[in-house]
Amino acid sequence: MNIGKGIRYGAVLLAAGLAACSSPSGTTNPTMVTPPPREDGGGDPAQACGQVGVYALKDARQGQVGTVRVWNTQTTLFVRLEAQGSWQLTASQVNAALAAGGSNWWAFPAQAQHDPYVGQFTYAFALGDFPATSGTDLYIAAHAFLSTPTYGFAEGWSEGKYVKFTVQPCEKAPPPPGKDIVVFNDINPFDNTGMANPNNVLMVKNLVNYTTSGPRNAGTKVLFDRGRNSTCGADYYSGCSDARLATMRSVIQGEGFTIEELNSTQGSITNLAPEVKVVFLWNPRQTFTNAEINVFKQFASEGGRLVFVGEWQGYYDAITLENDFLGKMGAVMTNTGQAVDCGYVTLPQASLRPHQITQGMTNVTIACSSVLVPGPNDYPLYYDSTNTKVLSAVATIDPTPLPLDYVAPAQLKTQAVLLEPGLNPNSSTGR
């Protein structure tokens, strides 16, 4: 029998039955997790929060015959048994608990028979079932029977039978909303196609509806700046035209906000009316002066939110301007220009990170977003389809005014970005 969906649910049902029974010696295991864990064949140590625990799987006579790898994400504890050399797993059993004990492997709540034999097998426990949070010590016991093609036999235990693993903290807590700059290196989440996804609609509502300290909290206006020779200006044929942003505009207005056009030119931003709560900067291509930067800093200190909408290199040729602007505002993140997930793509919930802006969302639709490299104080909002590259992030603005004669340090020249062949530089979607 293949190890697939059948063994997956079979293992869980078997575990549920064993959890209700006594061991052969008549002693129940008091530390079993209830309900039993699931075996989902998934989990990736590369996505672990903090450190991954690595322990030897040892046989009393053969020595080390494999490895037990333990890690956690925000919601799940993973335990992976890995055979080494010519050894393969024929059966495995795992227990995880808040205290060590109950070493009768036949009563462990997570069990599977491996037919055919496998090189590794992963179990997943919901942290909420313990319950366990960051800093909680968990005791993991992993047991397995192993065999080799030459009929070698081993019975492996995790070191000392129970090993202690401390649940690792995940990404730092997101900053409070407002007084921030939010970066999307993609206009398409906001066009009519992207906004056909109810999750994108919710994201826009969250962008303009937030509670913060300061007078801007009561603001009733949202500014669109599609001036500064924007790549996606307000004209009919651009990616940021009123027609293509019609759904987004309707959503914002439906939340009780008035949308006004800023259409700035270099040096023209001298103040922002007290009713303004959010400012969208769409693909600007004229540098912001230090005096304009200070207007934005004052705006943020009063609770305002800036939304910078950049793009990928090839469609948007002002990435240096964007990175200079972000640095002056206090964000360390940089736009690399690299384009990923071109053509319309709906990213899964796993790509999202918890934040006021993503609250309630289960996915998000994008198209050809550029990759961001966040700094230590920048907070990712969502990653690409591989869950490895940051596509949107938020940073708290440094309100300290810049000297009007301030000159930013020269940026290091970035290496040329290799773009996917066939991308259309005249389209924000790359297609």
Side-chain angles (χ1 to χ4, degrees):
M1 180 175 68
N2 290 329
I3 297 174
K5 189 173 292 184
I7 197 86
R8 183 175 306 162
Y9 293 106
V12 172
L13 291 173
L14 174 62
L18 287 171
C21 300
S22 298
S23 70
S25 63
T27 303
T28 58
N29 182 344
T31 62
M32 292 185 297
V33 174
T34 303
R38 67 187 188 276
E39 190 293 301
D40 61 7
D44 181 358
Q47 302 302 322
C49 298
Q51 298 295 312
V52 176
V54 181
Y55 314 97
L57 185 66
K58 293 181 178 179
D59 175 86
R61 294 174 301 169
Q62 304 282 358
Q64 184 169 350
V65 291
T67 299
V68 178
R69 207 172 298 271
V70 184
W71 71 96
N72 68 274
T73 61
Q74 188 82 40
T75 60
T76 306
L77 172 78
F78 291 95
V79 180
R80 175 173 293 172
L81 288 79
E82 303 171 349
Q84 70 179 32
S86 58
W87 292 103
Q88 287 195 303
L89 303 170
T90 64
S92 60
Q93 306 83 26
V94 171
N95 189 27
L98 294 169
S103 59
N104 298 325
W105 59 262
W106 50 83
F108 285 178
Q111 303 203 13
Q113 299 293 320
H114 307 304
D115 181 12
Y117 305 159
V118 296
Q120 67 178 38
F121 201 66
T122 306
Y123 293 91
F125 298 75
L127 289 175
D129 286 344
F130 291 97
T133 57
S134 173
T136 301
D137 288 335
L138 293 176
Y139 294 84
I140 291 68
H143 176 271
F145 294 106
L146 304 94
S147 182
T148 68
T150 55
Y151 304 105
F153 174 81
E155 181 182 4
W157 275 99
S158 48
E159 296 178 86
K161 294 197 175 169
Y162 273 86
V163 296
K164 184 172 76 171
F165 175 79
T166 303
V167 176
Q168 300 290 292
C170 293
E171 291 174 327
K172 59 184 180 294
K179 305 183 179 182
D180 53 15
I181 181 166
V182 187
V183 179
F184 298 90
N185 280 325
D186 181 14
I187 66 174
N188 302 108
F190 307 111
D191 67 19
N192 294 337
T193 302
M195 292 290 290
N197 182 344
N199 289 280
N200 290 45
V201 170
L202 181 56
M203 183 171 68
V204 169
K205 290 181 179 180
N206 291 342
L207 278 170
V208 296
N209 277 326
Y210 62 91
T211 301
T212 186
S213 59
R216 300 283 176 176
N217 184 60
T220 58
K221 290 183 179 180
V222 173
L223 296 187
F224 277 15
D225 189 0
R226 296 177 289 182
R228 307 185 92 90
N229 196 24
S230 170
T231 304
C232 66
D235 64 274
Y236 179 80
Y237 296 100
S238 82
C240 294
S241 67
D242 284 350
R244 297 191 183 190
L245 298 181
T247 304
M248 179 191 188
R249 294 173 66 89
S250 176
V251 168
I252 292 174
Q253 291 164 344
E255 295 301 299
F257 292 88
T258 300
I259 299 175
E260 292 187 358
E261 301 294 334
L262 186 56
N263 290 324
S264 73
T265 57
Q266 190 175 49
S268 68
I269 300 174
T270 57
N271 66 81
L272 294 171
E275 300 85 13
V276 177
K277 186 173 185 179
V278 182
V279 179
F280 283 82
L281 304 174
W282 299 89
N283 285 191
R285 297 170 66 217
Q286 291 179 353
T287 303
F288 293 85
T289 66
N290 291 346
E292 290 177 310
I293 295 289
N294 289 340
V295 171
F296 287 133
K297 285 175 175 279
Q298 178 64 32
F299 167 73
S301 72
E302 297 166 353
R305 168 173 281 171
L306 286 173
V307 182
F308 193 106
V309 185
E311 264 293 350
W312 57 281
Q313 180 176 303
Y315 178 79
Y316 181 50
D317 62 357
I319 291 174
T320 300
L321 178 155
E322 176 181 348
N323 291 339
D324 178 72
F325 178 81
L326 295 176
K328 288 180 177 177
M329 295 303 298
V332 184
M333 70 180 93
T334 54
N335 180 358
T336 68
Q338 180 186 1
V340 298
D341 291 331
C342 294
Y344 286 96
V345 174
T346 297
L347 303 175
Q349 187 168 25
S351 292
L352 303 178
R353 297 299 184 267
H355 189 274
Q356 177 268 329
I357 295 169
T358 57
Q359 186 173 0
M361 296 173 60
T362 58
N363 59 53
V364 64
T365 298
I366 68 161
C368 216
S369 179
S370 183
V371 176
L372 275 170
V373 177
N377 296 318
D378 304 329
Y379 189 84
L381 294 180
Y382 57 79
Y383 284 66
D384 71 328
S385 57
T386 69
N387 208 10
T388 59
K389 299 179 176 70
V390 177
L391 303 185
S392 178
V394 61
T396 300
I397 290 174
D398 179 359
T400 306
L402 293 178
L404 295 182
D405 59 353
Y406 174 79
V407 177
Q411 293 187 18
L412 294 175
K413 289 186 177 180
T414 57
Q415 294 181 346
V417 175
L418 294 177
L419 297 177
E420 178 185 335
L423 289 181
N424 178 6
N426 296 315
S427 171
S428 59
T429 69
R431 303 299 187 212

